[in-house]
Amino acid sequence: MATVTFYGAIEGVTGSAYLLATDEAKILLDCGLFQGRREEEEGNLEAFPFDVTELDAVVLSHAHLDHSGRLPKLVADGYNAAIYMTSPSVELLEILLNDAVSLQLRDVEWENKRLQRAGKKLIEPMYTLDNVKETLTLCSGEDYGHRVTVAKGIDVCFRDAGHILGSAIVEVFVTEQGVEKKLVFSGDLGNSCSALLRDPEVVEHADVLLLESTYGDRNHRPMDETLAEFEDIVEQASKNGGNILIPSFAVGRTQEIIFRLGELYQKGKLRQQAVYLDSPMAIAVTEIYHRYQDVYNTEDQAAMKKGAASSLHSFLPVLRYSSSTAESIALNNIEAGAIIIAGSGMCNGGRIRHHFKHNLWRRNAHVIFVGFQAMGTPGRALVDGAKFFNQAGEKISVKAAIHTIGGFSAHASQSQLLDWINGFSQANKPRLFLVHGEEDTKVIFKSYLKQQGWDASIPAKGETITF
């Protein structure tokens, strides 16, 4: 009898980790970081609640750190088998893990200086650069639709989830005593209105379904309204003469914004002189998106072809990369007519903060937030109407226009989640478990699904089910 134990993304939306075990093998689905409040992040340092050395394989749904960020810790603790994912995820994972370990080591160094002055015990990083390097050597990139054996009696097949490049719905085939049963893990399902990527692939059969529920309590704003507002803000900024600053996440959101700006350019509606992508990480990710255009949806491929574009860069010819520190600093001399896209997405680090220093106090400047701003972040403070922004001890007066556009989510909405699960056989519905969602959201979603003829369960952390 196979079992699944729920270890992460159960009491929230981070730390994704699910252990599937049979009499002959054990595999881990995802190994993500806990992110958010300090008490949640402290869970990253705890020992794994299972014997790492007994794992036969790890299967990764996609590269985002809340699904992948503890892989180097798993390796540091003794894991030495294959890690399966799609080929684009392998490339994105290298960028994300190297960035994560650099930030972690920097934070540990700063914290140890403080502890040393206080005469307290120093702390160790969760993992090292060597652990990241070893993790990457274990990664195996697979194609969508290709069934591969990952452990004795266990095969997996990746289906396109449409969330970020390389994101996957994971089909897990478990054979015991000649009988095959199937578990499907949705991973993070994409918003079918998003640019570039395809809609989540329909899966018709499963015995057990683990379904993400990030937006199980709501629907997104219609995309046509979102794009109309985006166009209006860009046009307004061009009339005002100021710069536009867009804090953006390096993976997924940045590439969508580049495409949307490209649409405006192709229609003759982008009057800004240049668009600067000022993020080495986002630049590297954009180049990976260029290499995997075969997974773009047909509509956006056609739009790029119509614009005689071979890449996002040529679809938006005024796009400029600012890779070096010197190139980034040079942007401070631009007083008007530019769009600057930079990280971090919630403004708690990165180059966007330096651009704020040179633009927030300008009345003709605009800041466009295109992603969720968590409570306690500098980005959330600006969205909530902060009058001053603190940058390296300096208080900067906020005179720029602050805009929030909420329709660019990369996650499926409530109705989109329902549409996807309705693709499963209605005559033999899978046992449905809601994961990757806040507690209130899952309760609302469970009630909504009940009205639609689905009986969903909300597992507790550490709970084990059999199938």
Side-chain angles (χ1 to χ4, degrees), residues 7-62:
Y7 285 123
I10 298 302
E11 297 173 339
V13 297
T14 66
S16 182
Y18 314 99
L19 180 67
L20 187 152
T22 68
D23 290 340
E24 297 183 302
K26 292 181 180 180
I27 71 169
L28 186 66
L29 298 174
D30 282 353
C31 190
L33 275 179
F34 292 103
Q35 298 170 311
R37 295 184 297 270
R38 179 181 293 272
E39 55 268 28
E40 293 173 331
E41 293 187 351
E42 287 175 350
N44 293 319
L45 300 175
E46 296 176 0
F48 288 100
F50 48 83
D51 189 340
V52 167
T53 62
E54 292 183 355
L55 292 175
D56 296 284
V58 175
V59 179
L60 191 69
S61 64
H62 65 287

Side-chain angles (χ1 to χ4, degrees), residues 31-257:
C31 190
L33 275 179
F34 292 103
Q35 298 170 311
R37 295 184 297 270
R38 179 181 293 272
E39 55 268 28
E40 293 173 331
E41 293 187 351
E42 287 175 350
N44 293 319
L45 300 175
E46 296 176 0
F48 288 100
F50 48 83
D51 189 340
V52 167
T53 62
E54 292 183 355
L55 292 175
D56 296 284
V58 175
V59 179
L60 191 69
S61 64
H62 65 287
H64 273 152
L65 290 178
D66 59 322
H67 293 257
S68 69
R70 280 192 296 164
L71 284 172
K73 174 175 169 56
L74 197 76
V75 170
D77 289 356
Y79 181 76
N80 192 34
I83 305 171
Y84 295 91
M85 65 197 77
T86 65
S87 295
S89 290
V90 174
E91 295 196 42
L92 291 176
L93 189 67
E94 180 176 2
I95 294 172
L96 290 172
L97 289 184
N98 277 308
D99 182 69
V101 72
S102 295
L103 292 175
Q104 180 197 160
L105 294 175
R106 183 199 66 185
D107 290 345
V108 167
E109 181 181 2
W110 288 354
E111 179 65 10
N112 279 339
K113 287 180 180 178
R114 186 187 67 81
L115 293 172
Q116 191 172 35
R117 288 194 300 268
K120 296 182 178 179
K121 183 180 178 181
L122 303 186
I123 61 174
E124 295 290 333
M126 180 168 43
Y127 49 77
T128 66
L129 183 58
D130 284 342
N131 298 141
V132 170
K133 290 178 178 178
E134 185 177 355
T135 299
L136 295 172
T137 67
L138 301 175
C139 293
S140 176
E142 308 295 334
D143 294 333
Y144 287 124
H146 173 64
R147 181 164 165 169
V148 58
T149 299
V150 300
K152 189 174 182 179
I154 302 177
D155 291 358
V156 300
C157 181
F158 296 111
R159 302 292 180 182
D160 196 341
H163 172 61
I164 63 169
L165 186 70
S167 59
I169 300 156
V170 184
E171 295 179 299
V172 184
F173 303 89
V174 179
T175 302
E176 294 182 297
Q177 298 178 344
V179 177
E180 181 180 272
K181 292 192 175 182
K182 180 178 171 185
L183 176 145
V184 172
F185 170 40
S186 72
D188 285 355
L189 295 177
N191 179 352
S192 58
C193 297
S194 294
L196 298 177
L197 302 183
R198 296 188 289 242
D199 293 351
E201 194 170 345
V202 174
V203 181
E204 296 181 351
H205 171 73
D207 296 292
V208 174
L209 172 60
L210 311 186
L211 177 66
E212 73 116 318
S213 52
T214 312
Y215 287 100
D217 60 343
R218 76 196 86 163
N219 286 316
H220 302 314
R221 183 184 185 189
M223 184 55 73
D224 57 348
E225 294 180 13
T226 297
L227 294 178
E229 182 183 6
F230 187 57
E231 181 180 332
D232 287 345
I233 295 170
V234 172
E235 175 65 20
Q236 179 184 342
S238 70
K239 290 178 179 178
N240 292 350
N243 293 324
I244 296 176
L245 306 181
I246 304 179
S248 189
F249 301 100
V251 182
R253 192 58 46 84
T254 289
Q255 291 71 40
E256 170 153 21
I257 294 303

